[in-house]
Amino acid sequence: MSKRTSILKALAETFKTIDGYAPYTVNLQGNSFAKLKFWDEVQDFPSVYLTPSTETREYLPSGFEWGFLRVCVKVYCKSEDEAQEQLEQLLSDLETCIDRNRRLVYDTTNNYETTEILIDSITTDEGLLAPYAVGEIYLQVRYQVM
């Protein structure tokens, strides 16, 4: 399995820990997946889908190499009267989860882990898709390329 795929799967598993108990406010009910789905295909709410985006490299002396993987986290909620509020709470929970797991082991066999995970941007549909609410978080994941 590629490092890109392994990082996405590890992030998706980490997001499954969002269960509504402190420090989280929303129960994701395990609906976190390392694949792409659009809001009109989603059946279970709330849910989170992760996809890899661009990747850049930084080459340093002695053959050392950083990989910077951009990850898109799509967040879907549905409620007749509180979809935007639930989306904002889930985005906050995802931010908390990311902050708590900046160093994330993505390959237990080789003990590979990310060096840091940073949030680049957060956007929402601003209520245009009611009763659905859709948000996106773009992450930058830094890891050592072997």
Side-chain angles (χ1 to χ4, degrees):
M1 180 180 325
S2 74
K3 290 182 180 181
R4 291 167 53 96
T5 302
S6 296
I7 290 169
L8 254 60
K9 286 186 176 194
L11 274 169
E13 287 301 312
T14 300
F15 291 158
K16 287 181 181 182
T17 63
I18 298 174
D19 57 5
Y21 294 104
Y24 306 118
T25 57
V26 175
N27 186 353
L28 196 53
Q29 300 172 7
N31 291 326
S32 176
F33 309 97
K35 63 181 180 178
L36 176 63
K37 242 188 194 182
F38 295 103
W39 69 271
D40 59 337
E41 301 172 303
V42 177
Q43 300 296 318
D44 297 318
F45 297 93
S47 58
V48 174
Y49 292 87
L50 295 90
T51 56
S53 187
T54 58
E55 182 172 353
T56 58
R57 300 286 172 94
E58 181 181 353
Y59 299 94
L60 301 170
S62 300
F64 189 85
E65 186 176 344
W66 286 121
F68 296 91
L69 175 63
R70 195 152 189 223
V71 175
C72 178
V73 180
K74 295 196 182 293
V75 183
Y76 303 107
C77 297
K78 182 180 179 184
S79 174
E80 291 302 321
D81 55 348
E82 296 179 357
Q84 282 298 309
E85 179 63 29
Q86 184 183 42
L87 176 64
E88 290 297 332
Q89 290 174 345
L90 184 51
L91 289 171
S92 178
D93 285 350
L94 287 165
E95 189 172 354
T96 299
C97 188
I98 291 162
D99 288 343
R100 294 169 64 112
N101 294 283
R102 288 188 189 261
R103 295 183 68 110
L104 181 66
V105 175
Y106 62 88
D107 183 340
T108 55
T109 305
N110 297 309
N111 203 28
Y112 293 156
E113 66 180 6
T114 63
T115 304
E116 70 180 352
I117 302 173
L118 302 174
I119 295 174
D120 278 342
S121 66
I122 299 174
T123 58
T124 71
D125 70 325
E126 299 177 14
L128 294 174
L129 298 173
Y132 298 93
V134 179
E136 274 185 342
I137 300 175
Y138 276 96
L139 304 175
Q140 177 180 284
V141 179
R142 179 175 21 180
Y143 68 97
Q144 184 179 350
V145 179
M146 304 295 173

